[in-house]
Amino acid sequence: MAAVTIWNEYRHERENEAVEAVYPDGIHEALASVLEADHDVRTATLDEPEHGLTEPVLESTDVLLWWGHKAHDEVADEVVDRVQDRVLEGMGLLVLHSGHYSKIFKRLMGTSCSLQWREDDGLERLWVVDPGHPIAAGLDEYIELPKTEMYGEPFDIPEPDRLVFSSWFEGGEVFRSGCCYRRGSGRIFYFRPGHETLPIYEHEDVKRVLRNAVEWAEPRACAPRTFGNRTTAANEE
Amino acid sequence: MAAVTIWNEYRHERENEAVEAVYPDGIHEALASVLEADHDVRTATLDEPEHGLTEPVLESTDVLLWWGHKAHDEVADEVVDRVQDRVLEGMGLLVLHSGHYSKIFKRLMGTSCSLQWREDDGLERLWVVDPGHPIAAGLDEYIELPKTEMYGEPFDIPEPDRLVFSSWFEGGEVFRSGCCYRRGSGRIFYFRPGHETLPIYEHEDVKRVLRNAVEWAEPRACAPRTFGNRTTAANEE
Amino acid sequence: MAAVTIWNEYRHERENEAVEAVYPDGIHEALASVLEADHDVRTATLDEPEHGLTEPVLESTDVLLWWGHKAHDEVADEVVDRVQDRVLEGMGLLVLHSGHYSKIFKRLMGTSCSLQWREDDGLERLWVVDPGHPIAAGLDEYIELPKTEMYGEPFDIPEPDRLVFSSWFEGGEVFRSGCCYRRGSGRIFYFRPGHETLPIYEHEDVKRVLRNAVEWAEPRACAPRTFGNRTTAANEE
Amino acid sequence: MAAVTIWNEYRHERENEAVEAVYPDGIHEALASVLEADHDVRTATLDEPEHGLTEPVLESTDVLLWWGHKAHDEVADEVVDRVQDRVLEGMGLLVLHSGHYSKIFKRLMGTSCSLQWREDDGLERLWVVDPGHPIAAGLDEYIELPKTEMYGEPFDIPEPDRLVFSSWFEGGEVFRSGCCYRRGSGRIFYFRPGHETLPIYEHEDVKRVLRNAVEWAEPRACAPRTFGNRTTAANEE
């Protein structure tokens, strides 16, 4: 049982009827309903003070989920700094779909995180490339999503530590759609599925991946991260 | 200008009319014609003594290409040992298509190198996933092969150091079709395209990749690989 | 609680009085006593039939520890094949000290696994390079072993997925002494400490690492590893 | 022959007599003298307009060297953005010594890049961990620097793509002192040696590494980095 905080931009759902029809309570609530049976779940949104990500909230978060799309630039840099620090200390981070362009993901990757996309409602098949990875536990050979937005290569990211999913799109493209990283003591998982006008987070396999990923990203006990001026030589201690 | 040795099993072409029609002089000669303008090219085949890979041949080889399919088990273990030693010392190795199941590739990977396949003559599109890699130099966004055998994930390999190509198949599958590794001082590139009944190695983009890959895999000057009993402490030298 | 099998060559302890004095019941029993409070532990040795690693034993093993030194070549290739297959299916493997030269480790790495060494009984300090890794949980900044055999770079291994420890030796050398790999669905950890004439496995920090590593290497639930001829296109299923 | 730009903070040398004594013309000039026989070398410093890194300068730079220490925060964010963009497009970047704490290195790594240090003028021995890497070409087993500042683990960086050097310090510490990364199409090399009060950049082996690293980091021909809205499906092209 982890302390999970789900962060959502929460603008689309209040401004666009098509989005509201799919996610009437916001994408964060849809995600919360996937995880709340097993975890202690809170939500936070862009328009709350400090975007809902105050120091006490982050200090008490084991795994943070991130969903943003059209207002990435409105996230304050000091909040991004704070989230980054917590990841380096060990907090898990799940970045979903259009969150690839969030400040926090770009910050942790060091690259542009650019890609190609097309809204076409075609079929996506996420192949399990690394069947031994715990995030793939309980899946079959692939996840099939009948209607999705297309994301295509090149995806400007560092080589993933482990690539769990690789997507096939009906229109002819491929994409590395499940990527694991470590930064400091924290685990990061980028997971492509999710679109504001499609009920992707109701798909059973997608829900399973989200649950697996939270479990995988939970902080582990670790050794001290001690930095700075080491006044005494190890040989003199 | 590198010293290139092209190894081919060379059985199909002599036993199967459909293969002979595409590669009348053997796949090794088709590959040689791609590289001989720029390199000093030799060929070697399974049925020669020591499979044509004697110590002097390997000692004077900068980059070895490997094509095998139905007689992997007939390659002698001592020749595999010899090739592995040379790779660790710095010789480049390009493993093509069904060579994923060769003894030498499995030896260097440490895994089963298993995958899924289907003969269906469908379209394959190899997307450039890592446009900055020198093996992709001069390509466009993807290579398109109108008719190929399908290879699908999971592909049981260690995480590639760099993944250059990821394939989309008309039938609905994906595959990591261009994978870079280093073992010892040697560079290894696995490249999927190539089938004994299809003229894949006449495709301009495939030829370009082969040329780029040979250049990439050439041995570099390096530091000594000194192992064994170090009788004197570094502090006493 | 994992099913742990500890494999030991068990020759030194019966043939050399200096070794027998340190490990009167064999190194396997010393290792067993570290793990048996938390796990279901069995042992197996070289001179048993099939080296004690029959199919039923391996099938029911979650994590295998490997200690060998002077008789690596006496391990039968079919047993090595069997161990490798089980690792690819998900069994964890801990390779200790001179086991770097075992057939199974060289098989899984694809390299020579050569290194430099010197018997000099000097001090070794294993620095925690990756404090967030679960294998380092509960340690301080480093482990200090007052008297050890030296192992020095270069160590001919593939780049580790994660490097947990890097050793400093009194004589002036360094060594990557805690290396994590994945092959197939299995997790592999190479851990340098351990010498047949020194009571390394009684050191509290070393025992802690062994316990952490067994926990880390335990098989996880995963997705199917399905290979072979895929007769139906995914698009037709 | 590459177009090399050497960036130096250039404050110490003008404000501190001990530094001026070692580097009377600035560290950038000492570095320039190492490279100018083989390359087209320019320098740029913090107090120039735009820190000397205008768009035209960066556009025409193949490899950028970075030396900073006490004024990292004075580097303007828009210049850091510009350098990052150029690295992603393919420009090489060599980060030296205390540059580990520069904005550009932290930006590209996504971590704190923290470490431990101690000014003690002890001996450092940089072991070649990866003798096959071109940056190690022409070196012996190790580089020995009789007097250096100590940098110790943990070093909060992502796992290097390749670790070329690992340092042993007389006081008892170790450090990953030569680390290769790729971000976008650009190659990055972090190299530890160098201190403002010690003539490190006059050491023959250090000079050799700098020359090798520039050659390694030069941009290569590559495939297009095309991102954005892909309006036509690949299957329709």
Side-chain angles (χ1 to χ4, degrees):
Chain A
M1 172 126 160
V4 174
T5 302
I6 298 170
W7 192 86
N8 181 16
E9 194 178 279
Y10 198 32
R11 288 274 174 88
H12 273 304
E13 301 94 324
R14 294 181 294 156
E15 295 170 6
N16 180 317
E17 285 184 15
V19 181
E20 196 189 355
V22 183
Y23 294 109
D25 303 315
I27 287 174
H28 51 297
E29 292 300 338
L31 291 166
S33 72
V34 175
L35 300 170
E36 65 199 359
D38 304 308
H39 300 288
D40 182 10
V41 177
R42 282 175 301 193
T43 64
T45 57
L46 180 63
D47 292 325
E48 296 174 44
E50 303 184 52
H51 316 317
L53 298 174
T54 59
E55 284 212 21
V57 165
L58 284 173
E59 279 305 312
S60 59
T61 297
D62 292 321
V63 181
L64 177 67
L65 279 74
W66 196 275
W67 207 101
H69 186 202
K70 52 184 253 180
H72 296 309
D73 284 348
E74 295 183 42
V75 176
D77 286 338
E78 50 272 41
V79 173
V80 177
D81 292 347
R82 202 184 281 164
V83 174
Q84 181 184 21
D85 287 350
R86 277 289 295 144
V87 169
L88 298 180
E89 283 170 26
M91 182 181 75
L93 178 69
L94 272 51
V95 176
L96 301 175
H97 192 61
S98 46
H100 72 92
Y101 255 149
S102 62
K103 284 185 178 178
I104 183 62
F105 191 58
K106 290 194 289 183
R107 175 80 67 88
L108 288 161
M109 296 295 104
T111 56
S112 72
C113 301
S114 294
L115 46 75
Q116 303 203 54
W117 78 89
R118 187 178 59 252
E119 294 214 45
D120 70 353
D121 283 2
L123 182 145
E124 174 181 10
R125 190 176 290 121
L126 295 103
W127 285 89
V128 177
V129 162
D130 184 358
H133 197 285
I135 288 180
L139 296 176
D140 208 332
E141 289 188 309
Y142 53 77
I143 301 174
E144 201 166 278
L145 302 176
K147 292 179 78 169
T148 55
E149 184 188 17
M150 190 284 294
Y151 275 15
E153 295 283 347
F155 184 18
D156 187 27
I157 47 173
E159 208 76 37
D161 294 345
R162 284 177 76 170
L163 177 66
V164 183
F165 300 109
S166 197
S167 283
W168 178 98
F169 289 94
E170 198 175 356
E173 295 87 4
V174 297
F175 193 73
R176 287 169 291 170
S177 47
C179 302
C180 298
Y181 295 93
R182 171 187 68 92
R183 291 293 178 266
S185 295
R187 295 173 171 209
I188 303 162
F189 182 59
Y190 174 77
F191 188 47
R192 198 204 86 83
H195 192 52
E196 61 278 8
T197 57
L198 296 166
I200 301 291
Y201 298 127
E202 293 175 14
H203 190 287
E204 284 308 314
D205 286 342
V206 170
K207 286 154 79 171
R208 183 183 293 267
V209 169
L210 292 171
R211 286 191 206 102
N212 288 345
V214 166
E215 208 171 307
W216 172 81
E218 277 188 61
R220 267 69 175 168
C222 59
R225 281 168 51 83
T226 311
F227 305 115
N229 196 344
R230 185 177 187 85
T231 48
T232 311
N235 287 345
E236 311 294 320
E237 282 175 347
Chain B
M1 171 126 162
V4 174
T5 302
I6 299 170
W7 192 87
N8 181 17
E9 192 179 281
Y10 198 31
R11 289 275 175 88
H12 273 304
E13 300 94 324
R14 294 181 294 156
E15 296 171 4
N16 180 317
E17 286 183 15
V19 181
E20 197 189 352
V22 182
Y23 294 108
D25 303 313
I27 287 174
H28 51 297
E29 292 300 337
L31 291 165
S33 72
V34 176
L35 300 170
E36 63 199 0
D38 304 310
H39 300 288
D40 182 9
V41 177
R42 281 176 301 192
T43 63
T45 57
L46 179 63
D47 292 324
E48 296 174 44
E50 302 185 53
H51 316 318
L53 299 173
T54 60
E55 285 212 20
V57 165
L58 285 172
E59 279 306 311
S60 58
T61 296
D62 292 322
V63 181
L64 177 68
L65 280 75
W66 195 275
W67 208 99
H69 186 204
K70 51 184 254 181
H72 296 309
D73 284 350
E74 295 183 41
V75 177
D77 286 338
E78 51 273 42
V79 173
V80 177
D81 292 348
R82 202 184 283 164
V83 174
Q84 180 184 20
D85 287 351
R86 277 290 296 144
V87 169
L88 299 180
E89 283 170 27
M91 183 182 73
L93 178 69
L94 272 51
V95 177
L96 302 175
H97 193 60
S98 46
H100 72 92
Y101 255 149
S102 62
K103 284 186 180 178
I104 183 62
F105 191 59
K106 291 194 288 185
R107 175 81 67 87
L108 287 161
M109 296 295 103
T111 56
S112 72
C113 301
S114 294
L115 46 75
Q116 304 203 53
W117 79 88
R118 188 179 57 252
E119 294 214 45
D120 71 353
D121 283 1
L123 183 146
E124 174 181 10
R125 190 176 289 121
L126 294 102
W127 285 88
V128 177
V129 161
D130 184 357
H133 198 286
I135 288 181
L139 296 176
D140 207 332
E141 289 188 309
Y142 53 77
I143 300 174
E144 201 167 278
L145 302 176
K147 292 179 78 169
T148 55
E149 183 188 17
M150 190 284 293
Y151 275 15
E153 295 282 347
F155 184 18
D156 187 27
I157 47 173
E159 207 76 36
D161 294 345
R162 285 177 76 171
L163 178 66
V164 183
F165 301 109
S166 197
S167 283
W168 179 97
F169 289 93
E170 198 175 356
E173 295 87 3
V174 297
F175 192 72
R176 287 169 292 169
S177 47
C179 302
C180 298
Y181 295 93
R182 173 186 67 92
R183 292 291 180 268
S185 295
R187 296 173 172 209
I188 303 162
F189 182 59
Y190 174 78
F191 188 47
R192 197 205 88 81
H195 192 50
E196 61 278 8
T197 56
L198 296 166
I200 301 292
Y201 297 126
E202 293 174 14
H203 190 288
E204 283 308 315
D205 286 342
V206 170
K207 286 154 81 170
R208 185 183 290 268
V209 170
L210 292 172
R211 285 191 208 105
N212 289 345
V214 166
E215 209 172 307
W216 171 83
E218 277 187 62
R220 266 71 176 168
C222 60
R225 281 168 51 83
T226 310
F227 305 115
N229 197 342
R230 185 178 188 84
T231 48
T232 311
N235 286 346
E236 310 295 318
E237 283 175 347
Chain C
M1 170 125 161
V4 174
T5 302
I6 298 169
W7 192 87
N8 181 15
E9 194 179 279
Y10 197 31
R11 289 273 174 88
H12 273 305
E13 301 93 323
R14 294 180 295 155
E15 296 169 4
N16 180 316
E17 284 184 17
V19 182
E20 197 189 353
V22 183
Y23 293 109
D25 303 313
I27 287 174
H28 51 297
E29 292 300 337
L31 291 166
S33 73
V34 175
L35 299 171
E36 64 199 0
D38 304 310
H39 300 288
D40 182 10
V41 177
R42 282 175 302 192
T43 64
T45 57
L46 180 63
D47 292 324
E48 296 174 43
E50 303 183 50
H51 316 317
L53 298 174
T54 60
E55 285 212 20
V57 165
L58 285 173
E59 279 306 314
S60 58
T61 297
D62 292 322
V63 181
L64 177 67
L65 279 74
W66 195 276
W67 208 99
H69 186 204
K70 51 184 254 181
H72 296 308
D73 284 349
E74 295 183 42
V75 177
D77 287 338
E78 51 272 42
V79 173
V80 177
D81 292 347
R82 202 184 281 164
V83 174
Q84 180 183 21
D85 287 351
R86 277 290 296 145
V87 169
L88 299 180
E89 284 170 26
M91 182 181 75
L93 178 69
L94 273 50
V95 177
L96 301 175
H97 193 60
S98 46
H100 72 91
Y101 255 150
S102 62
K103 284 185 178 178
I104 184 62
F105 191 58
K106 291 194 289 184
R107 176 80 67 88
L108 287 161
M109 295 296 103
T111 56
S112 73
C113 301
S114 294
L115 45 74
Q116 304 203 54
W117 80 88
R118 188 179 57 252
E119 294 213 47
D120 70 352
D121 283 1
L123 182 147
E124 175 181 10
R125 190 176 289 119
L126 294 102
W127 285 89
V128 177
V129 161
D130 184 358
H133 198 287
I135 288 181
L139 296 176
D140 208 331
E141 289 189 308
Y142 54 77
I143 301 174
E144 202 167 277
L145 302 176
K147 291 179 78 170
T148 55
E149 184 188 16
M150 189 284 294
Y151 275 15
E153 296 283 348
F155 184 16
D156 188 26
I157 47 172
E159 207 75 37
D161 294 346
R162 284 176 76 170
L163 177 67
V164 184
F165 300 108
S166 197
S167 283
W168 179 97
F169 289 94
E170 197 175 357
E173 295 87 3
V174 297
F175 192 73
R176 288 170 290 170
S177 48
C179 302
C180 298
Y181 295 93
R182 172 187 68 92
R183 291 292 179 266
S185 295
R187 295 173 173 209
I188 302 162
F189 182 60
Y190 174 76
F191 188 48
R192 199 205 85 83
H195 191 51
E196 62 277 8
T197 56
L198 296 166
I200 301 291
Y201 298 126
E202 293 175 14
H203 190 288
E204 283 309 314
D205 286 341
V206 171
K207 285 154 80 170
R208 184 183 291 267
V209 170
L210 292 172
R211 286 191 206 104
N212 288 346
V214 166
E215 209 172 308
W216 172 82
E218 277 188 61
R220 267 67 176 168
C222 59
R225 280 169 51 85
T226 310
F227 304 114
N229 197 342
R230 184 176 189 87
T231 49
T232 310
N235 286 345
E236 310 295 320
E237 282 174 347
Chain D
M1 169 125 163
V4 174
T5 302
I6 298 170
W7 192 88
N8 180 16
E9 194 179 278
Y10 197 32
R11 290 273 174 88
H12 273 304
E13 300 94 324
R14 295 181 293 158
E15 296 170 5
N16 181 317
E17 286 183 16
V19 181
E20 197 189 354
V22 182
Y23 294 108
D25 303 313
I27 287 173
H28 51 298
E29 292 300 337
L31 291 166
S33 72
V34 176
L35 300 170
E36 64 200 358
D38 304 308
H39 301 287
D40 182 10
V41 177
R42 282 176 300 192
T43 64
T45 57
L46 179 63
D47 292 324
E48 297 174 44
E50 303 184 54
H51 316 318
L53 299 174
T54 59
E55 285 212 20
V57 165
L58 284 172
E59 278 306 312
S60 59
T61 297
D62 293 321
V63 182
L64 177 67
L65 279 75
W66 196 275
W67 208 99
H69 186 202
K70 51 183 254 184
H72 296 309
D73 284 349
E74 295 182 43
V75 177
D77 287 337
E78 49 275 42
V79 173
V80 177
D81 293 347
R82 203 183 283 165
V83 174
Q84 180 183 21
D85 287 350
R86 276 289 296 144
V87 169
L88 298 180
E89 283 169 27
M91 183 182 74
L93 179 69
L94 272 51
V95 177
L96 301 175
H97 192 60
S98 46
H100 72 92
Y101 255 149
S102 62
K103 283 186 180 178
I104 183 61
F105 191 59
K106 291 194 288 183
R107 176 80 66 86
L108 288 161
M109 296 295 103
T111 55
S112 72
C113 301
S114 295
L115 46 74
Q116 304 202 53
W117 79 88
R118 188 179 58 252
E119 294 213 46
D120 70 354
D121 283 1
L123 182 146
E124 174 181 10
R125 190 177 288 121
L126 294 102
W127 285 89
V128 177
V129 161
D130 183 357
H133 198 285
I135 288 181
L139 296 176
D140 207 333
E141 290 189 308
Y142 53 77
I143 300 173
E144 201 167 278
L145 302 176
K147 290 179 79 170
T148 56
E149 183 186 17
M150 189 285 293
Y151 275 16
E153 296 283 348
F155 184 18
D156 188 26
I157 47 172
E159 207 76 36
D161 294 345
R162 284 175 77 170
L163 177 66
V164 183
F165 300 109
S166 197
S167 283
W168 179 96
F169 288 94
E170 197 175 356
E173 296 86 3
V174 297
F175 192 72
R176 288 170 290 171
S177 48
C179 302
C180 298
Y181 294 94
R182 173 187 66 92
R183 291 292 180 268
S185 295
R187 296 173 172 208
I188 303 161
F189 181 60
Y190 173 77
F191 188 48
R192 198 203 88 81
H195 191 52
E196 61 280 7
T197 56
L198 296 166
I200 301 292
Y201 297 127
E202 294 174 15
H203 190 288
E204 284 308 315
D205 286 341
V206 170
K207 285 154 79 170
R208 184 183 291 269
V209 169
L210 292 172
R211 287 191 206 102
N212 288 345
V214 166
E215 208 172 306
W216 171 82
E218 276 188 61
R220 266 71 176 168
C222 59
R225 282 169 50 85
T226 311
F227 306 114
N229 197 343
R230 185 178 187 85
T231 48
T232 311
N235 286 345
E236 311 294 320
E237 283 176 346

